[in-house]
Amino acid sequence: MDVVTDPVLELADRVLAVDPGGEARTRVTVHHTGDVVAQYRVEVLGEAARWSTVTPHLVSVLPGEEQGVTVDVVFRPPAPPAAPAGDVPFGVRCVSLEHRDVAAVVEGDLVVSPVQGLDARLRPDGPGGARAGRFRVELQNVGTTPLEVTLQVGDAAGLLRFALAPHRATVPAGGTVVALLAVGARAPRLLGPPVPHPFTVTYAEAASLHGGELTGTWEQRAVVRTWWLVVAALVVAALVLGWLWLRGQGGAVDLAAGSPPPVVLTAVEPGQRQVRLVWERSAYASGYVVRERTESGEGTGVESVDAQDQTSFTWPGREPGVHCYDVAAVAGDVTGPASPQQCVEVTDVAPTPTAEASPTAAAGGQGVPWEPVGWYVVFNSFSLADAAAATAPQELLAQLQTAGATGVRIMDSRGSVAVADGPGDAGMTVVVKDGFATEADASAQCTQFRAVAGFCITQPPAAPVPAVTP
């Protein structure tokens, strides 16, 4: 009966030294103490197995301890930074091909030499600018051990300021660390061509004397660009030419020297014994003249408007019939050409039955009879007894019209039964707009123009005035 025994292994070198990317060799002798020839497979165990070879890896061993077979084991660690650093334990195992449970292992240590290597590069992200430039300092560890790297930056002329982060970094083996660098000038440059500023980034390894310098250049540009000045000059030239062109424009109207241009009369709105005129504001006018004419052009009345920003005028007390109007701008003592004449037909005031005499009705009778139609809004009212507020209604009307309000009238409360005459029944000048179908419509008008008028109330339709009993 054959006796099955484990093989006996003899490792020539228990400790081997090797450089990354280099080669280390050793020998293993296999002895067999059994009675018959044995077949074995020899293999390397551990991390070093990935980069080791065994020659031959299959052996036949004759019985007898002195009849051993020697195999070569070669270790070839990878080049940095993939190679490990320091002691790498390994084992060599010999396994029987006939009996898998028959095996032996011998162990050793492979010492891989550490390698230090650093690849430093300075890359621009925005190398030029009026205020600052941006750069990246890339630190790549091409060795097999971590590196502690210190960074410094400066310029020989002392004209630059720097912001660098981080100043110190640990770069792992095979890894990369990026430091951010901002470069700016201590004094801005208002005008002129770009100016280059050289600077130097110094790096050093804390555990060795290795280090180096990286040189870079930041290009300082002027705060005011040349094309900005060109564009500004073109804009100024265009404005001057436009102003000169406008001064020479007058259409078919022959303007006298210093005479304001014609006014655009946009609307002539007839009413009951009154007419409301609306025109466009003239930037050259200090006031306006409103003229009333017959259809043949004969003048029948003139009114002056002294406010430059007023663009409407209500002319009360007009007789029923056809009336024609034009508006001219006034600049100082010079009156410009009149606008094209527009004609409208003025109607008479509809007769309104009056109630029996009462204190309120008696006071209201001193004005032109009128009553608000439907829901109406009162933007403001001014006492007729207050001489200081004599021009306030016209000014408020002009402000409302400038803001886009239409159909606003200036009325005398003494001509209305529905509108109160104020303290002491002295009478009020009322800035009013009527003709709204619903309360919601009137309230919306108040909401829209309350900020302009400073005051606005909504009033329901006036109650019918009872007929006078004979």
Side-chain angles (χ1 to χ4, degrees):
M1 180 177 179
D2 297 336
V3 179
V4 179
T5 61
D6 293 333
V8 177
L9 302 180
E10 182 182 351
L11 180 61
D13 302 294
R14 292 285 181 176
V15 179
L16 297 173
V18 65
D19 294 328
E23 181 180 294
R25 292 177 177 268
T26 188
R27 292 183 176 185
V28 177
T29 303
V30 183
H31 299 276
H32 175 46
T33 60
D35 299 330
V36 296
V37 177
Q39 301 287 331
Y40 296 104
R41 182 181 71 249
V42 183
E43 58 189 8
V44 177
L45 304 178
E47 182 183 356
R50 294 183 294 109
W51 26 270
S52 64
T53 57
V54 178
T55 307
H57 71 286
L58 297 177
V59 295
S60 298
V61 185
L62 297 175
E65 186 173 346
E66 295 185 2
Q67 298 296 324
V69 177
T70 300
V71 298
D72 291 328
V73 181
V74 180
F75 297 97
R76 296 185 179 91
D87 294 345
V88 180
F90 69 91
V92 179
R93 180 172 61 180
C94 182
V95 182
S96 174
L97 298 180
E98 293 90 1
H99 305 280
R100 294 184 179 276
D101 57 341
V102 176
V105 176
V106 63
E107 297 180 347
D109 290 310
L110 185 67
V111 180
V112 182
S113 302
V115 175
Q116 292 185 344
L118 180 65
D119 183 14
R121 298 176 184 271
L122 180 64
R123 301 186 183 277
D125 277 344
R131 299 185 181 277
R134 296 181 301 277
F135 296 82
R136 291 181 294 120
V137 181
E138 296 182 355
L139 304 173
Q140 182 181 7
N141 188 345
V142 295
T144 59
T145 59
L147 297 176
E148 190 77 18
V149 182
T150 303
L151 297 174
Q152 293 181 344
V153 60
D155 65 304
L159 300 177
L160 302 179
R161 49 187 176 83
F162 304 94
L164 176 64
H167 287 275
R168 180 184 295 270
T170 300
V171 187
T176 301
V177 172
V178 177
L180 302 180
L181 172 63
V183 182
R186 296 185 182 275
R189 185 178 180 83
L190 185 62
L191 297 171
V195 176
H197 294 282
F199 63 92
T200 303
V201 178
T202 304
Y203 63 94
E205 301 172 24
S208 67
L209 299 178
H210 299 295
E213 293 183 347
L214 303 173
T215 58
T217 301
W218 174 62
E219 187 178 79
Q220 182 184 9
R221 299 170 185 166
V223 175
V224 179
R225 306 291 179 85
T226 303
W227 67 269
W228 291 1
L229 299 178
V230 173
V231 171
L234 292 176
V235 170
V236 171
L239 292 175
V240 171
L241 292 176
W243 179 76
L244 294 175
W245 180 82
L246 289 175
R247 288 200 61 182
Q249 296 302 303
V253 179
D254 185 15
L255 297 179
S259 174
V263 175
V264 178
L265 182 60
T266 58
V268 179
E269 301 172 355
Q272 297 179 354
R273 287 186 174 268
Q274 67 177 10
V275 175
R276 179 172 175 267
L277 294 87
V278 181
W279 58 88
E280 293 184 359
R281 180 184 179 277
S282 173
Y284 304 94
S286 58
Y288 303 91
V289 172
V290 180
R291 302 186 185 95
E292 183 182 62
R293 303 178 184 274
T294 62
E295 292 184 86
S296 61
E298 182 181 353
T300 57
V302 176
E303 290 288 344
S304 297
V305 177
D306 296 331
Q308 179 185 10
D309 295 329
Q310 182 173 335
T311 57
S312 66
F313 177 75
T314 301
W315 201 333
R318 303 297 91 198
E319 294 295 330
V322 177
H323 297 261
C324 300
Y325 298 89
D326 62 52
V327 179
V330 177
D333 297 332
V334 180
T335 301
S339 65
Q341 179 175 294
Q342 295 187 32
C343 301
V344 294
E345 183 173 357
V346 179
T347 60
D348 199 356
V349 178
T352 303
T354 57
E356 293 184 2
S358 66
T360 302
Q366 297 180 26
V368 177
W370 69 283
E371 293 297 337
V373 178
W375 283 87
Y376 65 98
V377 296
V378 177
F379 290 107
N380 215 327
S381 58
F382 305 90
S383 174
L384 290 171
D386 185 2
T391 61
Q394 288 287 350
E395 294 174 357
L396 176 57
L397 177 63
Q399 294 173 1
L400 290 169
Q401 290 171 344
T402 302
T406 59
V408 182
R409 300 183 293 166
I410 298 177
M411 304 303 295
D412 189 336
S413 68
R414 297 175 298 176
S416 171
V417 176
V419 180
D421 290 334
D425 295 336
M428 305 290 290
T429 300
V430 185
V431 182
V432 65
K433 179 177 179 179
D434 59 358
F436 295 101
T438 64
E439 182 181 4
D441 294 341
S443 297
Q445 185 78 2
C446 265
T447 301
Q448 182 179 0
F449 296 103
R450 181 175 281 110
V452 178
F455 176 84
C456 185
I457 59 173
T458 303
Q459 296 292 341
V465 180
V468 178
T469 304

